[in-house]
Amino acid sequence: MSVLIVGSTALDSIKTPTAENPRLLGGSASHAAVAASFFAPVKLVGVVGKDFPKKYVTLYKKHRIDLSGLQVQEGKTFHWSGEYEVNMNNRRTLLTELGVFEKFTPHLPTEHKKSPFVLLANIAPALQHHVLDQMAKPKFVVADTMDLWLNIALDDLIRLIKRVDGFVLNDSEAHQLTKEDNVFAALKKLHKMGPKYVIIKKGSHGSILSGPKGAFICPAYPLPKVVDPTGAGDSFVGGMMGYLSTAKGGVDANIRRAMIYGSVVASYCCEGFGLNRTTRVKRADIDKRVSDLERLTKF
Ligand code: AMP
């Protein structure tokens, strides 16, 4: 089964304490799509401008990502720039140039509307709604978000949360949304808002799932060095959705293992700038780190 991924397709300029890299391939949908492609066929929906480098289209194609839902419009590709502190859990946005994103409306090709697994990666909640409105009975829909939408589109976001099966957000967003400091209390409140599965991401400390079978504490892969964590959250949820879409036995039976696979793909993402490392990974590398995590957490 394939995964439909809708989100931002961007050029990212990233600054860390030791290096700077301009105009890398980025965006929530790009990271999630590459991550999911290790497990399943992926259909990407997004928008780029006429300035979008051909080498990035080639990269998508190397991962066999279906680009029939990628619009190419007159104008500039969405450009985001961020800077990390020495503690790479802390980042600030330096620049957001919307470009063609400003007037973007995601139109799904007919074939895409039947996709069973849908990932609404981080974009404006109104656009996430627009995608859901076009879908014909998807089997499993997960939405991701960011603090910006909590600040400027809260009503749309709350309506969206009611419409999805799974909702993913990071710990500070969960705190902002629920006013709860305790992550388990936040999970409880988030369930009351609608979704059957809620995942709170905690950066280098992993993530916590709350679902019908209770809670699951998913570790992050222990990395001795992080080069650039941009897109780690998107890689996590993309990898998870890719794995889930091909696993036999339904979501409940597979979501924990799917999170582990997502966590491992996210670890590769952190080892290079943008998608530089992730796009060089092989499925066997992923399986090796999954085995490592299995050993590290068994008791
Ligand atoms: P993450 O590190 O998982 O938070 O995701 C970083 C990605 O989010 C980058 O590749 C950015 O291009 C993308 N991004 C940043 N701001 C926005 C925004 N306002 N809407 C959608 N995507 C964004």
Side-chain angles (χ1 to χ4, degrees):
M1 280 197 232
S2 66
V3 188
L4 175 72
I5 298 180
V6 186
S8 58
T9 37
L11 298 175
D12 283 354
S13 297
I14 299 163
K15 233 176 170 176
T16 67
T18 52
E20 203 171 332
N21 268 287
R23 297 189 175 267
L24 298 158
L25 174 59
S28 58
S30 303
H31 282 282
V34 170
S37 75
F38 292 108
F39 311 101
V42 176
K43 294 180 167 71
L44 181 146
V45 173
V47 64
V48 294
K50 287 266 161 73
D51 60 342
F52 192 65
K54 284 208 172 57
K55 64 179 179 186
Y56 294 160
V57 175
T58 310
L59 259 191
Y60 286 143
K61 286 188 176 157
K62 183 184 150 211
H63 285 264
R64 301 169 308 283
I65 295 167
D66 179 335
L67 298 177
S68 53
L70 180 68
Q71 300 173 27
V72 183
Q73 288 182 7
E74 211 58 63
K76 291 207 161 149
T77 303
F78 173 61
H79 179 210
W80 173 82
S81 173
E83 179 173 22
Y84 288 91
E85 291 177 12
V86 175
N87 173 353
M88 291 233 188
N89 285 322
N90 300 329
R91 168 176 90 190
R92 69 188 179 105
T93 293
L94 299 175
L95 175 101
T96 304
E97 290 172 335
L98 291 176
V100 289
F101 217 49
E102 201 163 359
K103 295 202 179 104
F104 174 52
T105 309
H107 297 298
L108 303 190
T110 311
E111 204 43 45
H112 290 39
K113 296 179 183 171
K114 293 183 266 173
S115 303
F117 285 79
V118 182
L119 172 57
L120 305 170
N122 172 30
I123 38 166
L127 300 182
Q128 294 173 313
H129 277 289
H130 189 68
V131 171
L132 272 188
D133 293 342
Q134 296 171 70
M135 295 302 303
K137 289 211 172 122
K139 198 171 155 192
F140 189 63
V141 180
V142 168
D144 195 355
T145 195
M146 74 185 293
D147 54 352
L148 174 69
W149 312 123
L150 293 172
N151 295 332
I152 69 167
L154 186 60
D155 289 349
D156 282 350
L157 183 66
I158 288 173
R159 275 196 307 113
L160 181 84
I161 299 173
K162 291 189 203 313
R163 297 183 71 188
V164 298
D165 303 292
F167 184 52
V168 179
L169 71 178
N170 69 30
D171 44 4
S172 61
E173 292 154 3
H175 168 71
Q176 187 177 343
L177 193 54
T178 64
K179 308 282 177 286
E180 292 287 352
D181 286 313
N182 180 294
V183 77
F184 295 100
L187 284 165
K188 218 171 170 179
K189 274 200 177 167
L190 288 161
H191 275 305
K192 287 206 176 118
M193 297 171 80
K196 198 168 163 190
Y197 302 87
V198 181
I199 297 175
I200 296 183
K201 297 173 287 180
K202 292 160 67 67
S204 57
H205 302 293
S207 57
I208 302 180
L209 161 78
S210 172
K213 287 195 167 174
F216 173 59
I217 297 173
C218 174
Y221 188 85
L223 289 178
K225 186 171 181 236
V226 170
V227 174
D228 166 26
T230 309
D234 309 310
S235 303
F236 165 76
V237 71
M240 179 187 91
M241 287 297 275
Y243 183 86
L244 270 180
S245 70
T246 53
K248 290 196 184 76
V251 172
D252 265 343
N254 292 294
I255 192 161
R256 293 175 172 218
R257 184 161 281 272
M259 286 173 69
I260 297 286
Y261 273 91
S263 195
V264 164
V265 182
S267 74
Y268 284 112
C269 172
C270 292
E271 285 185 315
F273 268 94
L275 276 152
N276 289 354
R277 176 77 177 107
T278 321
T279 49
R280 288 188 171 87
V281 166
K282 300 269 174 297
R283 175 62 195 263
D285 303 323
I286 295 170
D287 291 338
K288 161 82 177 56
R289 282 196 177 175
V290 167
S291 306
D292 291 346
L293 272 187
E294 216 150 15
R295 266 188 301 103
L296 280 164
T297 54
K298 199 167 186 176
F299 64 92

